[in-house]
């Protein structure tokens, strides 16, 4: 509960800020007479729910779209333009998702001790974000694959920090590449 | 904000200190965001923007989600908790 209004302002004009020896009766009285409002010190969303799965899925989608863009048939030019637009849109959308997921993992999940324990982690994030940009800019399977491989490395480090054993398995996606899960 | 402020605690907030002194790193402040009032500790300041984070690093929603808070959204300093 918080209290703030003119009365509280006047009150603290005359008393030091860190005055902890205030009479509890007086304090309780103030809490009763001053307007109160509920304040939140914790999140308003579930905390601690992090998973590199979405990042991996987005990286696979980028690969898939890159593959499909390379297979567009030019017999019907209108259809080809239409297909290219849709595939590029999906590639961009999943690049956005991947960047967001990487930023969440780097900024919110991984803590200082994780970066100390895995000295290559920060550079890995930088390289991954750069390869996402390259995969956006080009129709390059090499850039898309480099992105996925780095995301897989980050995923393995993630599960390591969680104290669980990670395992690389071949996905059932058309990309036919690997994904990192935990046992 | 545990262990400093626990769930259910009543705290007193005043804007008066900030009439005389600018908020500084380490201050616990109440601020408005998403139409709700939050309490966090100031961790970093750039111009009139404040990076806020709870004391419980593991669980706290930090400003990377909340966003940098403009000084105008800070309601006051948490004085007694």
């Amino acid at each position: 509960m918080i209290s703030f209004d003119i009365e509280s302002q006047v009150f603290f004009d005359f008393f030091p800020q860190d005055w902890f020896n205030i009479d509890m009766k007086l304090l309780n009285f103030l809490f009763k007479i001053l307007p109160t409002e509920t304040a939140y010190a914790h999140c308003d969303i579930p905390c601690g729910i992090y998973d590199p799965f979405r990042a991996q899925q987005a990286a696979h989608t980028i690969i898939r779209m890159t593959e499909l863009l390379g297979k567009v048939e030019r017999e019907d030019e209108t259809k080809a333009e239409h297909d290219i637009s849709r595939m590029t849109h999906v590639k961009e959308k999943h690049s956005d998702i991947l960047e967001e997921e990487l930023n969440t993992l780097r900024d919110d999940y991984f803590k200082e001790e994780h970066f100390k324990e895995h000295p290559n982690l920060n550079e890995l994030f930088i390289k991954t974000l750069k390869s996402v940009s390259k995969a956006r800019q080009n129709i390059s399977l090499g850039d898309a694959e480099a992105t996925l491989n780095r995301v897989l490395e980050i995923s393995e480090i993630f599960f390591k920090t969680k104290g669980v054993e990670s395992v690389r398995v071949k996905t059932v996606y058309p990309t036919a590449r690997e994904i990192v899960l935990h046992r | 904000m545990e262990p400093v402020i626990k769930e259910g605690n009543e705290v007193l907030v005043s804007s008066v200190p900030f009439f005389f002194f600018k908020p500084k790193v380490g201050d616990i402040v109440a601020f408005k965001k998403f139409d709700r009032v939050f309490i966090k500790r100031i961790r970093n300041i750039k111009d009139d923007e404040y990076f806020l984070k709870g004391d419980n690093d593991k669980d706290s929603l930090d400003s990377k989600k909340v966003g940098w808070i403009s000084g105008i959204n800070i309601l006051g300093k948490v004085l007694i908790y």
Side-chain angles (χ1 to χ4, degrees), chain A residues 1-4 8-9 11-13 17 19-20 22 27 31 34 37-45 47 104 107-108 111, chain B residues 1 9-17 20-21 32 34 36-40 57 59-62 64-65 75 77 79-80:
Chain A
M1 303 289 274
I2 66 163
S3 309
F4 50 94
S8 66
Q9 292 169 6
F11 177 75
F12 280 101
D13 268 342
Q17 294 168 20
W19 191 44
F20 291 106
I22 189 168
L27 189 58
F31 281 134
L34 295 175
E37 190 175 335
T38 302
Y40 300 84
H42 276 285
C43 320
D44 59 345
I45 56 170
C47 295
T104 300
D107 299 338
D108 293 357
K111 305 294 177 202
Chain B
M1 283 299 297
N9 279 172
E10 289 180 321
V11 301
L12 194 59
V13 175
S14 173
S15 57
V16 169
F20 302 101
F21 309 101
K32 205 144 196 177
F34 310 131
R36 298 172 90 168
V37 176
F38 289 88
I39 290 174
K40 299 278 181 189
D57 279 354
D59 292 326
S60 181
L61 179 71
D62 68 24
K64 289 191 178 77
K65 282 274 165 55
L75 302 170
K77 183 172 178 173
L79 297 173
I80 295 180

Side-chain angles (χ1 to χ4, degrees), chain A residues 57-100:
Chain A
Q57 199 179 37
H60 274 271
T61 306
I62 293 167
I63 287 180
R64 183 60 180 155
M65 289 305 111
T66 305
E67 285 176 342
L68 290 176
L69 280 163
K71 290 178 185 171
V72 172
E73 292 179 2
R74 313 294 293 194
E75 288 164 8
D76 181 341
E77 201 56 38
T78 306
K79 187 175 186 315
E81 285 175 9
H82 172 262
D83 290 350
I84 290 168
S85 299
R86 293 193 71 207
M87 290 163 192
T88 307
H89 171 72
V90 172
K91 186 156 76 82
E92 285 292 317
K93 192 177 167 184
H94 282 263
S95 298
D96 286 343
I97 292 169
L98 179 50
E99 284 176 353
E100 189 187 340

Side-chain angles (χ1 to χ4, degrees), chain A:
Chain A
M1 303 289 274
I2 66 163
S3 309
F4 50 94
D5 70 345
I6 297 300
E7 289 160 283
S8 66
Q9 292 169 6
V10 171
F11 177 75
F12 280 101
D13 268 342
F14 294 96
F15 295 96
Q17 294 168 20
D18 55 350
W19 191 44
F20 291 106
N21 294 325
I22 189 168
D23 187 300
M24 283 309 292
K25 282 181 183 172
L26 178 59
L27 189 58
N28 287 334
F29 173 72
L30 280 170
F31 281 134
K32 278 180 187 170
I33 62 165
L34 295 175
T36 61
E37 190 175 335
T38 302
Y40 300 84
H42 276 285
C43 320
D44 59 345
I45 56 170
C47 295
I49 299 175
Y50 299 99
D51 197 323
F53 173 73
R54 204 161 170 244
Q56 296 185 68
Q57 199 179 37
H60 274 271
T61 306
I62 293 167
I63 287 180
R64 183 60 180 155
M65 289 305 111
T66 305
E67 285 176 342
L68 290 176
L69 280 163
K71 290 178 185 171
V72 172
E73 292 179 2
R74 313 294 293 194
E75 288 164 8
D76 181 341
E77 201 56 38
T78 306
K79 187 175 186 315
E81 285 175 9
H82 172 262
D83 290 350
I84 290 168
S85 299
R86 293 193 71 207
M87 290 163 192
T88 307
H89 171 72
V90 172
K91 186 156 76 82
E92 285 292 317
K93 192 177 167 184
H94 282 263
S95 298
D96 286 343
I97 292 169
L98 179 50
E99 284 176 353
E100 189 187 340
E101 291 295 314
L102 290 171
N103 287 331
T104 300
L105 288 171
R106 185 186 60 184
D107 299 338
D108 293 357
Y109 172 69
F110 285 113
K111 305 294 177 202
E112 204 176 333
E113 61 264 29
H114 297 142
F115 287 102
K116 276 182 187 165
E117 201 177 331
H118 303 278
N120 63 328
L121 186 56
N122 193 43
E123 199 185 341
L124 190 55
F125 270 109
I126 293 167
K127 283 183 176 174
T128 312
L129 287 162
K130 281 185 177 171
S131 61
V132 178
S133 295
K134 281 187 179 177
R136 278 183 195 269
Q137 291 160 0
N138 308 302
I139 305 174
S140 163
L141 203 52
D143 290 331
E145 283 175 331
T147 303
L148 175 64
N149 288 333
R150 285 168 182 153
V151 170
L152 297 184
E153 281 183 59
I154 292 170
S155 304
E156 284 171 332
I157 293 174
F158 172 87
F159 288 125
K160 208 168 185 178
T161 63
K162 286 285 185 188
V164 293
E165 189 187 344
S166 64
V167 58
R168 287 194 184 208
V169 295
K170 194 176 173 183
T171 64
V172 291
Y173 305 151
T175 51
R177 286 170 178 80
E178 290 179 324
I179 196 165
V180 173
L181 302 172
H182 70 87
R183 293 187 191 278

